[in-house]
Amino acid sequence: MLSILITQFVVLWAVIDPIGTVPVYLSQTNGLTSKQKRLVALKAVGIATGVLLFFLIVGQFLLEAMQIPLPAFQAAGGLVLLLFALSMIFGEGKPAQETKLGEETDHSELASLAVYPLAIPSIASPGAMMAIVLLTDNHRNSIIDQSLTAGVMVLVLLATLLLLLGATGIHKIIGNVGAAIISRVMGLILAAVAVNNLLMGVRDFYF
């Protein structure tokens, strides 16, 4: 059982990618106050947790009811990730008005920022949604096994939250230029992961 939980932890860490979320968080919260950054981090992780728990509980029933095979869901998720990765690589610098958000940013704007692109698709990525559905396959796992998997997922999400809360310190070290460089490098890596998911989904769908 311990080896299974360790394997699940590694899988969920890879698909949620807490470290890879840090540059996305830094770029999206540029110009916010420390309090607002913490609020965005808490909201983003909270929303991502809710989404992943939803897929853990009803994801398989939903896909089966809609007659959507998992490979098709994987391919669609890869396509969405690819588009987001391309925006990270080729997107223009942050608009000037975004660097002036500061105290003028209200809670609705912060909530919107927390939802996209932080909660979805950065933390609760299509790959993470698919992974949690596969790891909690109702045909192979008992309720206890699925509960343990949920605990592992929450542990990874807590690690994500801690990294985001410490991202300000990281930003002080690397600066805006460093954050921009990391963002584009992570965008390239994310594009590779997205293409891999897309090709695997297409392969599994036809073969």
Side-chain angles (χ1 to χ4, degrees):
M1 177 60 69
L2 180 59
S3 62
I4 294 176
L5 293 178
I6 293 175
T7 300
Q8 290 181 348
F9 180 86
V10 172
V11 170
L12 290 173
W13 183 277
V15 293
I16 294 176
D17 191 12
I19 297 176
T21 302
V22 171
V24 180
Y25 171 79
L26 290 175
S27 67
Q28 295 299 309
T29 58
N30 185 33
L32 297 179
T33 65
S34 297
K35 180 179 179 180
Q36 290 172 330
K37 289 180 179 181
R38 288 194 298 271
L39 185 60
V40 169
L42 289 169
K43 284 181 176 291
V45 174
I47 293 169
T49 301
V51 170
L52 291 178
L53 284 176
F54 172 82
F55 271 86
L56 185 151
I57 297 171
V58 302
Q60 185 171 354
F61 295 115
L62 183 63
L63 292 178
E64 290 178 353
M66 299 177 66
Q67 297 184 342
I68 298 176
L70 286 178
F73 184 74
Q74 182 178 13
L79 181 58
V80 172
L81 276 180
L82 178 60
L83 293 175
F84 178 65
L86 292 177
S87 71
M88 290 178 65
I89 298 172
F90 298 109
E92 298 178 356
K94 299 298 292 178
Q97 62 268 25
E98 291 191 12
T99 63
K100 299 178 181 178
L101 289 174
E103 298 293 343
E104 298 177 0
T105 305
D106 59 31
H107 288 286
S108 62
E109 290 176 293
L110 291 178
S112 177
L113 182 63
V115 173
Y116 178 86
L118 287 173
I120 305 170
S122 186
I123 302 174
S125 65
M129 297 176 196
M130 182 195 64
I132 201 63
V133 171
L134 293 175
L135 291 175
T136 57
D137 187 347
N138 298 326
H139 303 303
R140 294 182 302 164
N141 300 289
S142 66
I143 297 297
I144 295 178
D145 293 334
Q146 295 181 44
S147 299
L148 291 174
T149 302
V152 173
M153 182 192 74
V154 171
L155 184 61
V156 175
L157 290 168
L158 285 176
T160 303
L161 177 60
L162 291 177
L163 284 173
L164 294 185
L165 292 177
T168 301
I170 298 174
H171 183 261
K172 290 180 180 179
I173 298 175
I174 64 177
N176 290 333
V177 174
I181 293 174
I182 292 175
S183 180
R184 280 167 170 74
V185 171
M186 291 307 303
L188 182 60
I189 296 174
L190 184 61
V193 173
V195 171
N196 182 64
N197 286 341
L198 178 60
L199 293 177
M200 288 180 61
V202 172
R203 182 200 64 188
D204 294 342
F205 184 82
Y206 286 105
F207 301 103

